[in-house]
Amino acid sequence: MWDHANQLFPICRSITGDGLRQTLGHLKKVIPKIEIKGIPSGQKIFDWTIPDEWNPKNAYMIGPDGEKIANFHENNLHLVSYSVPMHKRMSLSDLQSHLHSIVEKPDLIPYRTSYYKRDWGFCLPHRTRQNLKDGIYEIYIDSEIKPGVLNYGELLIPGQTEKEIMFSTYPCHPSLANDSLSGVVIALALAKNLMNRNDLYHSFRFLWTPETIGSLAWLDSNIGRAKEVIQAGFVLTCLGDDGPLSYMPSRKGKTLADRVITKMLYDNNLAFDSYSFNQRGSDERQFCHPNVDLPFASLMRSIYGEYEEYHTSGDDMGLLSPAALQESFNLYFRIIEMLEKNRVYKPMTIGEPQLGKRNLYANLSDSTLDEDEMVRFKILGYADGELDLISLSEIVDEPFDVVSSQVQILVDAQVLELVK
Amino acid sequence: MWDHANQLFPICRSITGDGLRQTLGHLKKVIPKIEIKGIPSGQKIFDWTIPDEWNPKNAYMIGPDGEKIANFHENNLHLVSYSVPMHKRMSLSDLQSHLHSIVEKPDLIPYRTSYYKRDWGFCLPHRTRQNLKDGIYEIYIDSEIKPGVLNYGELLIPGQTEKEIMFSTYPCHPSLANDSLSGVVIALALAKNLMNRNDLYHSFRFLWTPETIGSLAWLDSNIGRAKEVIQAGFVLTCLGDDGPLSYMPSRKGKTLADRVITKMLYDNNLAFDSYSFNQRGSDERQFCHPNVDLPFASLMRSIYGEYEEYHTSGDDMGLLSPAALQESFNLYFRIIEMLEKNRVYKPMTIGEPQLGKRNLYANLSDSTLDEDEMVRFKILGYADGELDLISLSEIVDEPFDVVSSQVQILVDAQVLELVK
Amino acid sequence: MWDHANQLFPICRSITGDGLRQTLGHLKKVIPKIEIKGIPSGQKIFDWTIPDEWNPKNAYMIGPDGEKIANFHENNLHLVSYSVPMHKRMSLSDLQSHLHSIVEKPDLIPYRTSYYKRDWGFCLPHRTRQNLKDGIYEIYIDSEIKPGVLNYGELLIPGQTEKEIMFSTYPCHPSLANDSLSGVVIALALAKNLMNRNDLYHSFRFLWTPETIGSLAWLDSNIGRAKEVIQAGFVLTCLGDDGPLSYMPSRKGKTLADRVITKMLYDNNLAFDSYSFNQRGSDERQFCHPNVDLPFASLMRSIYGEYEEYHTSGDDMGLLSPAALQESFNLYFRIIEMLEKNRVYKPMTIGEPQLGKRNLYANLSDSTLDEDEMVRFKILGYADGELDLISLSEIVDEPFDVVSSQVQILVDAQVLELVK
């Protein structure tokens, strides 16, 4: 993940264009089964329209003293995304309305876009901006905006059933590491891992699609089936820094996605900050929209909007660590394991089964049960053909994994049976 | 309101009779559309019977020293309501069982009635009673009890729909100001205000009817339709003093009447005391009766039974203030405004709408939303065609008025639409 | 109860055999209508099989110095229940795997059984065990295991309806007093009391049956009808010591059995420890099994497993007291009284009834209600044809008995009527 992130970081991505294609191409090299789709500019997507494609090649300003400023080749955040081509000279005062900086973060370049209104601009550290001298500036933007396609990558890993678990992430940001890119590479690693398995109960769908317009484009073609088959979905982003764990619930808050995230965190004794859906900020905005209503939630580290470097040049590879990426991967891996095992069981007996004859219970009573016996005893009290394993492990107050393995023993002993 | 209250205060009202008619006549002078109904004595009303009409003209006692005591013309509370006519002489000791006073409130005349059992009596301050000399007292009560009618006033202000909001108040107490009269004049002022409007969504019904027997009489003729059309109802009383706000819930506690009262108080940061339906004391006893079950609740100031002057001569115009009446009016006015706007909306889009093209969102991203944008963002996450505006504003944790005005902007922009 | 317990204590009971029959015979002498049933060994009971019958006659060990050890006639706990017959000599080291003691309770003989696997063994205080000398021991067990029957006692006391309240208890432990025997004698006393009444609304069923296999045997024949008629059931055990009250809920936790126990405790201001169904330990394991799902809960004193003497020779008659048995009886007696009165009522009027004409309300208003009037007032606000008396008394926050007697007054006055 760390290597992929390092290779992908420098590319200037946007919601369309060569940078996006190059990124998706990189993913496809790792997993050739990823399909790259393209939706033509101008196509209607619900309330939206696929925009023209944008391809930046170069951009900078030259100041009164001849120095190059806001050089796109030094940092692609310097150029407002979707800036139109431009070559002209203008005074600093005329230029000001096209400059963007953040007073409170004077050393960071902000990230700005203008996808749906033709505009142009440069982003730079506020300290740099303040030191700009009066005079005439040469503005140079070599970019192209013309009809093309919006691309996204999609991968379906079939399991034994059509029931789907879905992961969505957005490879549409330029050189930003934690927001966007961390999710892109973790999705890649999770997919790669699942590709190697032939025991999957669920089918797994991965989506690498531009935020908002890209997820809507996918929904436009898939919403009907998605509502039938998706059991739980997750937006992968903000997973690479060392910040606290953050949980963004679904709109309704009690979907399987919510339940598995919170149970996993609880079982692992992991502290986390819980947010409100009012604070949502990524593609759960589309997947949980009242008229879409898919069971999506999100587990992140430092959540979008809440960390100092968010949407600035500070969100670079220095913010990420291989260890944090790996831990995030591990957490989602546990979520997958739990979902795969999250079935419903019912008793095969009326009244308690006779465990002694199955060697699951000491034949000589001594009034105390060992740990496994105790967990099985609690399970047998509640497994009723309605509670799934997540609910069952909550009600017996034992870790999911412990309950799951003891349930398997009880199934093997023919005292519990799988319902669904 | 203050002037009306001053004019109405001296009248000796009861659940029937000239004082009640005079009061209703006063209201009809202000709003000629108020209809005065009359139900004849003897008519069966559910478990009750309309009593004979009572009309007191004069009453007093003359003591051993010739002094007039408990003079009805000085304070109509001196005479027990529904006292039969009487002119005789009796010793103080024989008289005692017909005298009423309150030991703990020695300077106040209590308010007593004997509607359904023929009786007579005088009420007086305990201090006066203690100073009565032994000897013979002349008792004089000039009153009339004979078949007549029970009157009530009713006003329907039609709106665009048959859905009704109802206000009930009881003009059946003699000279008591906060209990009873404050509600009578606030209902009058609210009705007058609503009469001047032609944009009402709901129809508004006002009822000035004697407590218990009068509200039952109205229910007897109207319960069927009432259960179909009434969305929320309020008993107006105890609204004129400077006491704390008091909330009396409906029996079930979560009707629209309850929700609008509590949300209005919350939005306005108003502290209030919350009571149990076990402590009910006015016509919510009838409107929320298990076999009636209308959505009635009540917002009061010092609640009946809980203030020192309740049901005594201390509950006079000195307890009221124009400012308190006005503030109570304002609170119910806000409740009406909220109810009028409390509609249900759903998204017109699948997925988020594109707000930028509607100038409802900055086209150049800068990661921060202004306040209005943030409220609209939160609304769009939850407006689902099921939540009414009260619930919606609770879930987005914003004031109702703020949500309501932003919803209107979203409706105008054709991203939300009215469901019901 | 105390006398019965003293007479029954010395008998060596097990889940089958003469000791069990002798115990049931004792009960039948007190209440001849108790039916003694017998299920033959080898019969399939759900997942179980009725075991062969076990009858111990004598058992002891003779040590190297000729002293008798672990003499069955001194304490029947010395012999592991269902020990096979045996007469042989063996060294102490070979013997050790057949000896049972508790390190932490060196002066107490543990209670051990081996119902379903042929085995033998002796239980003794750990202190005694430690002092055993090396050498050869003579082992003598005179017992018989052969096909027979499993017995249980059952009593139905018919009431006016087929709706049943059930009490189950287990007379299958050897000389243990609080666990097992306390429940046996309290069930006997409750049954005797109910036999003398001819006003019972519910039918009452009492079961004295061996734990687990015995209750399953009863369920095997009765589960269908039981699910139709049983309104509430209780497992009677651990009721004779001076420990704190303990409440074991049903699996789902809100059955009538749970509600009546907790309301009775609340009304009587009794502190109690509340356990989880995860900690269940007696026949609620069968009655509340997910595939059985009867409304059983249990009120105990020191709960099984939680008191020092549990399943040891310390649980003898010295642990019990007549006063504790009587108090436990009284608590269940109150539960029965509450269940008998726990009916549903609805108003006979629309709107409040006129209580004055029924002499249930002062005809001369004085604004204050006496206690009974206040309770009736609260009842009339909530009795709606749906709440049973337990729920009604919770919602008006009055003791069940107070509500019940005031409801009866309102029924007599024809303002409330019985619904079911």
Side-chain angles (χ1 to χ4, degrees), chain C residues 52-74:
Chain C
D52 282 348
E53 197 174 311
W54 178 65
N55 283 303
K57 295 196 182 66
N58 198 359
Y60 53 79
M61 303 187 291
I62 296 179
D65 296 344
E67 76 283 17
K68 222 178 225 185
I69 303 160
N71 185 350
F72 172 76
H73 287 308
E74 281 178 6

mmCIF file of all heavy atoms in Angstrom, chain C residues 52-74:
data_model
loop_
_atom_site.group_PDB
_atom_site.id
_atom_site.type_symbol
_atom_site.label_atom_id
_atom_site.label_comp_id
_atom_site.label_asym_id
_atom_site.label_seq_id
_atom_site.Cartn_x
_atom_site.Cartn_y
_atom_site.Cartn_z
ATOM 1 N N ASP C 52 -31.188 -45.203 33.171
ATOM 2 C CA ASP C 52 -31.538 -46.272 34.086
ATOM 3 C C ASP C 52 -31.733 -45.695 35.489
ATOM 4 O O ASP C 52 -31.245 -44.609 35.799
ATOM 5 C CB ASP C 52 -30.394 -47.320 34.129
ATOM 6 C CG ASP C 52 -30.444 -48.227 32.894
ATOM 7 O OD1 ASP C 52 -31.458 -48.187 32.158
ATOM 8 O OD2 ASP C 52 -29.447 -48.957 32.677
ATOM 9 N N GLU C 53 -32.434 -46.486 36.289
ATOM 10 C CA GLU C 53 -32.700 -46.037 37.656
ATOM 11 C C GLU C 53 -31.516 -46.390 38.545
ATOM 12 O O GLU C 53 -30.915 -47.463 38.405
ATOM 13 C CB GLU C 53 -33.973 -46.731 38.150
ATOM 14 C CG GLU C 53 -34.576 -46.069 39.361
ATOM 15 C CD GLU C 53 -35.921 -46.686 39.736
ATOM 16 O OE1 GLU C 53 -36.788 -46.852 38.846
ATOM 17 O OE2 GLU C 53 -36.079 -47.011 40.914
ATOM 18 N N TRP C 54 -31.204 -45.487 39.465
ATOM 19 C CA TRP C 54 -30.062 -45.695 40.368
ATOM 20 C C TRP C 54 -30.551 -45.791 41.798
ATOM 21 O O TRP C 54 -31.305 -44.927 42.241
ATOM 22 C CB TRP C 54 -29.069 -44.552 40.207
ATOM 23 C CG TRP C 54 -27.865 -44.624 41.118
ATOM 24 C CD1 TRP C 54 -26.887 -45.571 41.101
ATOM 25 C CD2 TRP C 54 -27.505 -43.694 42.169
ATOM 26 N NE1 TRP C 54 -25.942 -45.309 42.052
ATOM 27 C CE2 TRP C 54 -26.286 -44.150 42.734
ATOM 28 C CE3 TRP C 54 -28.078 -42.540 42.673
ATOM 29 C CZ2 TRP C 54 -25.647 -43.490 43.760
ATOM 30 C CZ3 TRP C 54 -27.437 -41.872 43.696
ATOM 31 C CH2 TRP C 54 -26.232 -42.341 44.246
ATOM 32 N N ASN C 55 -30.140 -46.823 42.500
ATOM 33 C CA ASN C 55 -30.487 -46.952 43.911
ATOM 34 C C ASN C 55 -29.264 -47.321 44.735
ATOM 35 O O ASN C 55 -28.762 -48.441 44.650
ATOM 36 C CB ASN C 55 -31.593 -47.993 44.093
ATOM 37 C CG ASN C 55 -32.941 -47.405 43.706
ATOM 38 O OD1 ASN C 55 -33.353 -46.387 44.246
ATOM 39 N ND2 ASN C 55 -33.618 -48.036 42.742
ATOM 40 N N PRO C 56 -28.759 -46.372 45.496
ATOM 41 C CA PRO C 56 -27.606 -46.625 46.371
ATOM 42 C C PRO C 56 -28.100 -47.195 47.704
ATOM 43 O O PRO C 56 -29.163 -46.805 48.196
ATOM 44 C CB PRO C 56 -27.024 -45.230 46.576
ATOM 45 C CG PRO C 56 -28.218 -44.332 46.533
ATOM 46 C CD PRO C 56 -29.212 -44.971 45.580
ATOM 47 N N LYS C 57 -27.353 -48.123 48.252
ATOM 48 C CA LYS C 57 -27.738 -48.646 49.577
ATOM 49 C C LYS C 57 -26.670 -48.362 50.633
ATOM 50 O O LYS C 57 -26.961 -48.040 51.756
ATOM 51 C CB LYS C 57 -27.992 -50.155 49.488
ATOM 52 C CG LYS C 57 -29.184 -50.472 48.593
ATOM 53 C CD LYS C 57 -29.697 -51.895 48.798
ATOM 54 C CE LYS C 57 -30.850 -52.188 47.844
ATOM 55 N NZ LYS C 57 -30.422 -52.200 46.413
ATOM 56 N N ASN C 58 -25.440 -48.467 50.204
ATOM 57 C CA ASN C 58 -24.369 -48.256 51.162
ATOM 58 C C ASN C 58 -23.109 -47.897 50.367
ATOM 59 O O ASN C 58 -22.984 -48.239 49.177
ATOM 60 C CB ASN C 58 -24.127 -49.525 51.988
ATOM 61 C CG ASN C 58 -23.354 -49.216 53.272
ATOM 62 O OD1 ASN C 58 -23.000 -48.066 53.507
ATOM 63 N ND2 ASN C 58 -23.117 -50.242 54.068
ATOM 64 N N ALA C 59 -22.171 -47.254 51.038
ATOM 65 C CA ALA C 59 -20.905 -46.935 50.378
ATOM 66 C C ALA C 59 -19.949 -46.400 51.425
ATOM 67 O O ALA C 59 -20.340 -45.636 52.313
ATOM 68 C CB ALA C 59 -21.124 -45.913 49.259
ATOM 69 N N TYR C 60 -18.716 -46.818 51.337
ATOM 70 C CA TYR C 60 -17.667 -46.275 52.212
ATOM 71 C C TYR C 60 -16.319 -46.736 51.690
ATOM 72 O O TYR C 60 -16.243 -47.575 50.774
ATOM 73 C CB TYR C 60 -17.861 -46.735 53.665
ATOM 74 C CG TYR C 60 -18.001 -48.228 53.817
ATOM 75 C CD1 TYR C 60 -16.882 -49.082 53.791
ATOM 76 C CD2 TYR C 60 -19.253 -48.797 53.984
ATOM 77 C CE1 TYR C 60 -17.025 -50.454 53.898
ATOM 78 C CE2 TYR C 60 -19.401 -50.167 54.106
ATOM 79 C CZ TYR C 60 -18.273 -51.002 54.063
ATOM 80 O OH TYR C 60 -18.416 -52.354 54.171
ATOM 81 N N MET C 61 -15.287 -46.221 52.282
ATOM 82 C CA MET C 61 -13.931 -46.688 52.019
ATOM 83 C C MET C 61 -13.337 -47.085 53.380
ATOM 84 O O MET C 61 -13.659 -46.453 54.394
ATOM 85 C CB MET C 61 -13.082 -45.585 51.393
ATOM 86 C CG MET C 61 -13.667 -45.034 50.092
ATOM 87 S SD MET C 61 -12.527 -43.880 49.263
ATOM 88 C CE MET C 61 -12.561 -42.494 50.388
ATOM 89 N N ILE C 62 -12.485 -48.104 53.354
ATOM 90 C CA ILE C 62 -11.756 -48.434 54.585
ATOM 91 C C ILE C 62 -10.274 -48.231 54.319
ATOM 92 O O ILE C 62 -9.717 -48.766 53.352
ATOM 93 C CB ILE C 62 -12.029 -49.881 55.044
ATOM 94 C CG1 ILE C 62 -13.524 -49.991 55.400
ATOM 95 C CG2 ILE C 62 -11.163 -50.261 56.242
ATOM 96 C CD1 ILE C 62 -13.950 -51.364 55.846
ATOM 97 N N GLY C 63 -9.668 -47.399 55.178
ATOM 98 C CA GLY C 63 -8.295 -46.979 54.954
ATOM 99 C C GLY C 63 -7.291 -47.985 55.482
ATOM 100 O O GLY C 63 -7.659 -49.009 56.079
ATOM 101 N N PRO C 64 -6.035 -47.718 55.292
ATOM 102 C CA PRO C 64 -4.962 -48.617 55.689
ATOM 103 C C PRO C 64 -5.026 -48.941 57.177
ATOM 104 O O PRO C 64 -4.687 -50.052 57.593
ATOM 105 C CB PRO C 64 -3.684 -47.827 55.354
ATOM 106 C CG PRO C 64 -4.095 -46.814 54.354
ATOM 107 C CD PRO C 64 -5.527 -46.509 54.618
ATOM 108 N N ASP C 65 -5.494 -48.010 58.008
ATOM 109 C CA ASP C 65 -5.566 -48.249 59.441
ATOM 110 C C ASP C 65 -6.901 -48.831 59.859
ATOM 111 O O ASP C 65 -7.214 -48.916 61.037
ATOM 112 C CB ASP C 65 -5.328 -46.952 60.221
ATOM 113 C CG ASP C 65 -3.920 -46.425 59.978
ATOM 114 O OD1 ASP C 65 -3.075 -47.197 59.476
ATOM 115 O OD2 ASP C 65 -3.689 -45.233 60.281
ATOM 116 N N GLY C 66 -7.753 -49.158 58.863
ATOM 117 C CA GLY C 66 -9.026 -49.798 59.173
ATOM 118 C C GLY C 66 -10.158 -48.825 59.448
ATOM 119 O O GLY C 66 -11.272 -49.232 59.751
ATOM 120 N N GLU C 67 -9.882 -47.497 59.360
ATOM 121 C CA GLU C 67 -10.958 -46.556 59.661
ATOM 122 C C GLU C 67 -11.873 -46.402 58.444
ATOM 123 O O GLU C 67 -11.425 -46.401 57.308
ATOM 124 C CB GLU C 67 -10.390 -45.200 60.098
ATOM 125 C CG GLU C 67 -9.839 -44.337 58.978
ATOM 126 C CD GLU C 67 -8.465 -44.785 58.490
ATOM 127 O OE1 GLU C 67 -8.059 -45.941 58.786
ATOM 128 O OE2 GLU C 67 -7.808 -44.006 57.784
ATOM 129 N N LYS C 68 -13.177 -46.222 58.724
ATOM 130 C CA LYS C 68 -14.160 -46.009 57.681
ATOM 131 C C LYS C 68 -14.105 -44.543 57.229
ATOM 132 O O LYS C 68 -14.124 -43.624 58.055
ATOM 133 C CB LYS C 68 -15.551 -46.316 58.228
ATOM 134 C CG LYS C 68 -16.414 -47.097 57.236
ATOM 135 C CD LYS C 68 -17.770 -47.418 57.822
ATOM 136 C CE LYS C 68 -18.173 -48.851 57.553
ATOM 137 N NZ LYS C 68 -19.535 -49.166 58.018
ATOM 138 N N ILE C 69 -14.065 -44.350 55.936
ATOM 139 C CA ILE C 69 -13.968 -42.983 55.386
ATOM 140 C C ILE C 69 -15.094 -42.788 54.387
ATOM 141 O O ILE C 69 -15.510 -43.732 53.720
ATOM 142 C CB ILE C 69 -12.611 -42.803 54.655
ATOM 143 C CG1 ILE C 69 -11.455 -43.105 55.611
ATOM 144 C CG2 ILE C 69 -12.467 -41.409 54.060
ATOM 145 C CD1 ILE C 69 -10.162 -43.430 54.909
ATOM 146 N N ALA C 70 -15.573 -41.542 54.324
ATOM 147 C CA ALA C 70 -16.579 -41.190 53.318
ATOM 148 C C ALA C 70 -17.781 -42.115 53.385
ATOM 149 O O ALA C 70 -18.245 -42.654 52.385
ATOM 150 C CB ALA C 70 -15.968 -41.193 51.902
ATOM 151 N N ASN C 71 -18.283 -42.249 54.580
ATOM 152 C CA ASN C 71 -19.392 -43.162 54.831
ATOM 153 C C ASN C 71 -20.711 -42.580 54.308
ATOM 154 O O ASN C 71 -21.204 -41.564 54.804
ATOM 155 C CB ASN C 71 -19.458 -43.412 56.339
ATOM 156 C CG ASN C 71 -20.518 -44.444 56.671
ATOM 157 O OD1 ASN C 71 -21.318 -44.824 55.819
ATOM 158 N ND2 ASN C 71 -20.509 -44.893 57.919
ATOM 159 N N PHE C 72 -21.318 -43.217 53.336
ATOM 160 C CA PHE C 72 -22.583 -42.796 52.726
ATOM 161 C C PHE C 72 -23.681 -42.630 53.785
ATOM 162 O O PHE C 72 -24.530 -41.756 53.670
ATOM 163 C CB PHE C 72 -22.980 -43.845 51.685
ATOM 164 C CG PHE C 72 -24.351 -43.663 51.087
ATOM 165 C CD1 PHE C 72 -24.587 -42.673 50.120
ATOM 166 C CD2 PHE C 72 -25.413 -44.480 51.459
ATOM 167 C CE1 PHE C 72 -25.851 -42.529 49.545
ATOM 168 C CE2 PHE C 72 -26.676 -44.326 50.884
ATOM 169 C CZ PHE C 72 -26.894 -43.345 49.927
ATOM 170 N N HIS C 73 -23.666 -43.457 54.784
ATOM 171 C CA HIS C 73 -24.701 -43.366 55.812
ATOM 172 C C HIS C 73 -24.516 -42.161 56.721
ATOM 173 O O HIS C 73 -25.440 -41.744 57.400
ATOM 174 C CB HIS C 73 -24.775 -44.667 56.620
ATOM 175 C CG HIS C 73 -25.404 -45.778 55.838
ATOM 176 N ND1 HIS C 73 -26.625 -45.645 55.209
ATOM 177 C CD2 HIS C 73 -24.973 -47.038 55.539
ATOM 178 C CE1 HIS C 73 -26.937 -46.761 54.568
ATOM 179 N NE2 HIS C 73 -25.938 -47.629 54.733
ATOM 180 N N GLU C 74 -23.299 -41.619 56.728
ATOM 181 C CA GLU C 74 -23.106 -40.388 57.510
ATOM 182 C C GLU C 74 -23.531 -39.166 56.703
ATOM 183 O O GLU C 74 -24.093 -38.223 57.222
ATOM 184 C CB GLU C 74 -21.643 -40.255 57.931
ATOM 185 C CG GLU C 74 -21.317 -41.130 59.137
ATOM 186 C CD GLU C 74 -19.843 -41.018 59.519
ATOM 187 O OE1 GLU C 74 -19.136 -40.185 58.908
ATOM 188 O OE2 GLU C 74 -19.424 -41.783 60.412
#
